[in-house]
Amino acid sequence: MTTELRTVLGDLVSVNNRLTRLAASVSGNAESPAIWRTIAVLRDLGPMRLGELARVSRVSQPTMTKLVHTLDERGWIRRIADAGDARAWLISADPSGGAALLAWRDEITAALEPTFADLTDDEIATLAASVEIVRTRLERARTAMQTGDVA
Amino acid sequence: MTTELRTVLGDLVSVNNRLTRLAASVSGNAESPAIWRTIAVLRDLGPMRLGELARVSRVSQPTMTKLVHTLDERGWIRRIADAGDARAWLISADPSGGAALLAWRDEITAALEPTFADLTDDEIATLAASVEIVRTRLERARTAMQTGDVA
DNA sequence: TAATTATACATAGCTTGGCTATGCAAATTC
DNA sequence: GAATTTGCATAGCCAAGCTATGTATAATTA
């Protein structure tokens, strides 16, 4: 029923909010979630223009300009001039950026692992299935957005 | 196996990161995730001292002082003097804060619903189960922390 | 009991992530 | 060729996060 779907969605966002803080705090807090999110998007979806990267990441274009600047300073992305449009850049994840992302994931998963160590195989499968469900909806929201939809 | 657990945990944090942005962007962005997270913690766990609220929320004490100040301005929490310790306050969710939280949840879930509308009952159950799994681990991390543990 | 140490919260000051408004140059359209 | 649209950058603001430090109360201990 719709009521239950809404409840679950609300709980999902709420719990995620706290999990994100937990992940940030168990890592050394060296880099922000926004940095890792941006690299992850680039790795998952491939090189794209700055504006599209902003839309996919659900941040404003100026915010993405800043993030890309920071990532560029770290050497974690490449800016490739877009042949055919002198205004545009293609933003691509540098291998070092991917490596940094993996290192961060290692760090937080190692820190979180004890707390989740007693999960059964079924529970792990449940989490994996949920990740897939949310991932497909994020992708859907992305493509819907491109066609002018709201959510 | 452990490898798969780590992969799932990393994916979970990554996907949540993007979902949090989606939720923030579909809402009017009127208030920050930190505000809602704090009220949610107070509602779930009941009144507590500012310092404990900071630890549970995984933010520093000065950050929580600021958040509580903002929440107080909105009238969404109450500061109750702790009888027996003149330094301490008990922070309690005001009914208006709970109402504001529910209104925000209504807003974001209404906005997200179309994207998730085609979920089967099984998929909804999977999401609900995941929420419960993560919630229990957050609670475990909280109590472990109080006994001096790291994660 | 008086002095010391520890605790609870507040303040100061910084960085980063987020936003809107605006500017500028290149593409596109008329 | 002029006007409009588009893509990114800049400016300037606020909130959330941090560390370092201050201040008052508790707790401890000499």
Side-chain angles (χ1 to χ4, degrees):
Chain A
M1 69 188 74
T2 296
T3 305
E4 193 184 349
L5 171 59
R6 287 208 179 186
T7 302
V8 170
L9 288 176
D11 288 347
L12 190 65
V13 171
S14 257
V15 164
N16 285 350
N17 205 340
R18 291 179 62 190
L19 181 63
T20 298
R21 274 308 306 157
L22 177 59
S25 66
V26 297
S27 85
N29 258 1
E31 300 288 344
S32 67
I35 291 294
W36 304 124
R37 185 184 64 225
T38 306
I39 301 179
V41 167
L42 284 174
R43 278 176 51 91
D44 287 354
L45 303 177
M48 65 186 81
R49 291 185 172 190
L50 191 147
E52 190 187 354
L53 183 54
R55 280 187 297 273
V56 172
S57 303
R58 296 277 172 170
V59 301
S60 69
Q61 171 261 308
T63 294
M64 186 49 69
T65 295
K66 276 202 256 185
L67 287 171
V68 164
H69 190 76
T70 302
L71 286 164
D72 201 19
E73 283 178 344
R74 307 270 188 290
W76 289 346
I77 54 108
R78 295 293 173 97
R79 308 179 68 124
I80 304 163
D82 186 336
D85 192 336
R87 299 167 302 178
W89 301 90
L90 279 180
I91 312 297
S92 165
D94 190 83
S96 65
L101 176 64
L102 291 182
W104 172 75
R105 284 179 55 135
D106 273 355
E107 189 186 350
I108 59 156
T109 54
L112 291 179
E113 197 178 18
T115 304
F116 288 81
D118 66 333
L119 290 183
T120 64
D121 285 351
D122 274 1
E123 288 173 320
I124 292 174
T126 297
L127 288 182
S130 285
V131 166
E132 259 324 286
I133 290 172
V134 174
R135 210 202 298 273
T136 59
R137 308 303 145 157
L138 287 170
E139 181 65 14
R140 172 181 308 178
R142 179 175 76 88
T143 57
M145 190 177 38
Q146 287 177 334
T147 64
D149 206 338
V150 271
Chain B
M1 69 186 72
T2 295
T3 305
E4 191 185 352
L5 171 59
R6 286 206 179 188
T7 302
V8 170
L9 288 176
D11 288 347
L12 190 66
V13 171
S14 254
V15 164
N16 285 349
N17 206 338
R18 291 179 61 190
L19 181 63
T20 298
R21 275 306 307 156
L22 178 58
S25 67
V26 298
S27 85
N29 258 1
E31 300 289 344
S32 67
I35 291 293
W36 305 124
R37 184 184 65 226
T38 306
I39 301 180
V41 167
L42 284 173
R43 277 176 50 91
D44 287 354
L45 303 177
M48 65 186 80
R49 289 183 173 193
L50 190 146
E52 190 187 355
L53 183 54
R55 281 188 296 274
V56 172
S57 302
R58 295 276 173 171
V59 301
S60 69
Q61 172 261 307
T63 294
M64 187 49 69
T65 295
K66 276 202 254 184
L67 287 171
V68 164
H69 189 75
T70 302
L71 285 164
D72 201 20
E73 283 178 343
R74 306 272 189 287
W76 289 347
I77 54 108
R78 294 293 174 99
R79 308 181 67 125
I80 304 163
D82 186 337
D85 191 337
R87 299 166 302 177
W89 301 91
L90 279 179
I91 312 297
S92 166
D94 190 84
S96 65
L101 175 63
L102 292 182
W104 172 76
R105 284 181 55 135
D106 272 355
E107 189 186 349
I108 60 157
T109 54
L112 292 179
E113 198 177 17
T115 303
F116 288 80
D118 66 332
L119 290 183
T120 65
D121 286 350
D122 274 0
E123 288 173 321
I124 293 175
T126 297
L127 287 183
S130 286
V131 166
E132 258 324 287
I133 291 171
V134 175
R135 210 203 298 275
T136 58
R137 308 304 143 155
L138 286 170
E139 180 65 13
R140 172 182 306 175
R142 180 175 76 88
T143 56
M145 191 177 38
Q146 285 178 336
T147 63
D149 205 337
V150 270

